[in-house]
Amino acid sequence: METFLYYNKFFEESGLENNSKKNFTEQDLKALIFVFYNKQEIKKRMTTRKKLSAELFRKENSKYIENRPSLEKAILQLLEVDAFPENDPKNHQWRWVVDCLEPQVIVLCENLDCLKVPVEYKKSNIELWYVGGNNTKPLQDISADKLGLPIYYFCDWDYNGLDIYCQVKNIFKEKGKDIILIEPPKNAKKLPVTVKHHKSKWSQEKQFSGLDQSHFTIGQIEVIDSLISKDEWIEEESIDLIEYLIFACRN
């Protein structure tokens, strides 16, 4: 019910038509909601159509928005602009946050998916941060008052996701703060790294694919070694974030 009200409020406030003439998929709708509620931040760092498409629709190619004129028109309407800029801005230092009144944990997300419809996370007192893949520099400026809460990292278990986790872990280590990698369940679905639209590949020539083993537990190393040897990866969507955190807090 709360999710329905969240969607309904979006249509009431955004001015977009809520009718069957608009052929939006569920992922389109979630992306539009995210754009509407974060439009000021997006406008400040206004990026190209391809760049925004890759961030909002990571499972599609970078021309996804371009190939869906109704979707592009809706995004531009929500942003209150006429067109996307031709070139990427030089300044790529930003952080999106889904605040909640009484956060108990902070979760750094490699991907935007959790932030698109954050109702359940806010209800569970989970504060979500997204800094956009390799855009880790804003984390260096996190103030000390934010470091009192447990901080988790939520990502795909592939080379890119785990490599960024290592970078983030080093940043927080310099602040005297440890962060916790959210682990997939033992029965998590494993996908071949060659699956469509997946660009992260393991290096079979480098030990542990070049990742820093010191950042991982023995159990995590065993899982990663298995993924590397079989050329597989685990998508973050196969991990129930709220269920994981509830269990972690109880233990």
Side-chain angles (χ1 to χ4, degrees), residues 104-119:
Q104 295 180 2
V105 299
I106 293 170
V107 177
L108 301 178
C109 302
E110 179 196 3
N111 302 303
L112 269 174
D113 293 357
C114 292
L115 285 76
K116 290 179 180 176
V117 183
V119 177

Side-chain angles (χ1 to χ4, degrees), residues 61-192:
N61 63 52
S62 61
K63 293 186 176 181
Y64 184 76
I65 293 177
E66 181 181 345
N67 293 333
R68 298 175 66 85
S70 294
L71 177 63
E72 178 174 354
K73 182 179 179 181
I75 290 174
L76 292 174
Q77 179 182 333
L78 294 176
L79 292 175
E80 301 172 337
V81 296
D82 296 324
F84 292 101
E86 294 183 0
N87 300 306
D88 280 323
K90 293 181 180 179
N91 184 12
H92 190 56
Q93 298 186 23
W94 41 268
R95 175 169 60 101
W96 277 315
V97 176
V98 173
D99 292 307
C100 54
L101 292 175
E102 298 179 354
Q104 295 180 2
V105 299
I106 293 170
V107 177
L108 301 178
C109 302
E110 179 196 3
N111 302 303
L112 269 174
D113 293 357
C114 292
L115 285 76
K116 290 179 180 176
V117 183
V119 177
E120 292 300 319
Y121 302 104
K122 295 181 75 166
K123 276 177 56 180
S124 300
N125 297 318
I126 299 170
E127 184 168 298
L128 302 173
W129 293 359
Y130 170 74
V131 290
N134 271 312
N135 176 37
T136 58
K137 287 185 179 180
L139 295 176
Q140 296 173 356
D141 299 324
I142 299 299
S143 60
D145 63 308
K146 287 288 186 181
L147 303 182
L149 294 172
I151 300 179
Y152 293 82
Y153 193 76
F154 189 39
C155 66
D156 293 326
W157 278 49
D158 57 12
Y159 174 76
N160 287 349
L162 296 173
D163 180 53
I164 296 169
Y165 162 71
C166 290
Q167 297 175 41
V168 172
K169 197 168 180 72
N170 282 331
I171 290 172
F172 280 96
K173 184 178 180 180
E174 292 180 1
K175 297 175 178 292
K177 177 70 176 181
D178 192 24
I179 65 171
I180 306 161
L181 178 61
I182 292 178
E183 302 177 9
K186 292 182 179 180
N187 62 347
K189 182 179 180 181
K190 299 175 180 64
L191 302 170

Side-chain angles (χ1 to χ4, degrees), residues 185-233:
K186 292 182 179 180
N187 62 347
K189 182 179 180 181
K190 299 175 180 64
L191 302 170
V193 295
T194 54
V195 71
K196 187 178 180 181
H197 300 320
H198 182 252
K199 300 177 181 178
S200 178
K201 301 290 188 294
W202 301 110
S203 172
Q204 302 295 346
E205 288 73 38
K206 298 179 182 178
Q207 183 179 8
F208 205 56
S209 196
L211 297 171
D212 187 344
Q213 289 194 32
S214 68
H215 292 320
F216 303 95
T217 66
I218 294 175
Q220 291 168 354
I221 290 172
E222 290 176 353
V223 174
I224 297 167
D225 270 332
S226 176
L227 292 173
I228 294 172
S229 65
K230 296 177 182 178
D231 252 353
E232 295 177 333
W233 66 293

